């Protein structure tokens, strides 16, 4: 049973890292579930302080994940259409087989979204799409950093108890 929990925890860590880039997966939350699964093994002692503080970080990052892109878009004069366009373009760009397609898709999606909102001002749409992309990238950096930190915690705990786990 411990091996299964260890494997599922590691899988959650890897999916969480991927989810830190993809908007459809809550990366930090999934990574936190990986830590929780590791603590459910019979070997690793349940650490309420560690799990509570890392859960608090997940909650903060999740809230920031919604606030930062919209603030970036609004700061550059964008609208909700730009935010939605960025998210749709991100997913479409991720599915296209081109290098860094998710970034290109996010920018083009934000631009198209802003042009739907305001067709007459291409300059403002470009500025808003840039703001949306910058906000999105900052959000990715936060999520990715938290997921890597949680992976480091997971590896540290695994290494500490590897003899009993394997």
């Amino acid at each position: 049973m411990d091996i299964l929990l260890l494997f599922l925890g590691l899988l959650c860590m890897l999916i969480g890292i991927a989810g830190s880039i993809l908007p459809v997966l809550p990366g930090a939350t999934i990574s936190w579930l990986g830590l929780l699964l590791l603590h459910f093994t019979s070997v690793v002692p349940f650490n309420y302080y560690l799990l509570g503080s890392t859960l608090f970080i997940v909650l903060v990052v999740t809230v920031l994940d919604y606030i930062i892109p919209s603030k970036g878009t609004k700061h550059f004069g964008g609208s909700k259409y730009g935010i939605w366009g960025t998210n749709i373009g991100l997913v479409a760009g991720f599915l296209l087989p081109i290098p860094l397609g998710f970034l290109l898709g996010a920018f083009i999606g934000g631009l198209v979204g802003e042009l739907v909102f305001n067709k007459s001002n291409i300059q403002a749409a470009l500025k808003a799409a840039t703001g949306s992309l910058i906000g999105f990238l900052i959000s990715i950096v936060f999520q990715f950093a938290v997921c890597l930190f949680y992976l480091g915690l997971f590896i540290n705990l695994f290494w500490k108890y590897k003899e009993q786990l394997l």
Side-chain angles (χ1 to χ4, degrees):
M1 184 68 167
D2 285 345
I3 295 294
L4 178 63
L5 289 171
L6 181 66
F7 174 75
L8 290 175
L10 182 59
L11 187 63
C12 283
M13 287 291 152
L14 298 176
I15 292 171
I17 289 172
S20 68
I21 297 170
L22 300 171
V24 294
L25 294 174
T29 304
I30 295 172
S31 288
W32 184 82
L33 287 174
L35 284 175
L36 183 64
L37 287 171
L38 183 62
H39 280 85
F40 279 145
T41 63
S42 63
V43 176
V44 177
F46 211 79
N47 186 336
Y48 291 103
Y49 177 75
L50 176 70
L51 290 172
S53 59
T54 53
L55 179 60
F56 177 75
I57 292 170
V58 165
L59 295 174
V60 169
V61 167
T62 301
V63 169
L64 288 176
D65 199 35
Y66 289 102
I67 293 174
I68 292 173
S70 63
K71 291 292 184 187
T73 302
K74 287 184 183 191
H75 180 73
F76 284 82
S79 68
K80 287 188 245 181
Y81 292 94
I83 295 169
W84 276 102
T86 299
N87 288 333
I88 292 168
L90 171 72
V91 172
F94 184 76
L95 297 175
L96 293 175
I98 58 174
L100 299 176
F102 68 96
L103 292 177
L104 185 62
F107 179 77
I108 292 172
L111 180 62
V112 169
E114 287 301 326
L115 288 174
V116 166
F117 177 69
N118 185 5
K119 294 178 183 162
S120 62
N121 195 346
I122 294 174
Q123 193 74 1
L126 278 170
K127 185 177 176 186
T130 301
S132 185
L133 180 65
I134 289 171
F136 168 71
L137 289 174
I138 291 170
S139 179
I140 282 178
V141 167
F142 278 130
Q143 283 267 350
F144 190 72
V146 167
C147 289
L148 285 181
F149 176 69
Y150 288 0
L151 178 63
L153 282 173
F154 187 92
I155 291 170
N156 185 31
L157 286 168
F158 167 76
W159 198 256
K160 187 175 181 179
Y161 296 102
K162 71 178 182 219
E163 315 266 314
Q164 296 98 330
L165 283 167
L166 298 177

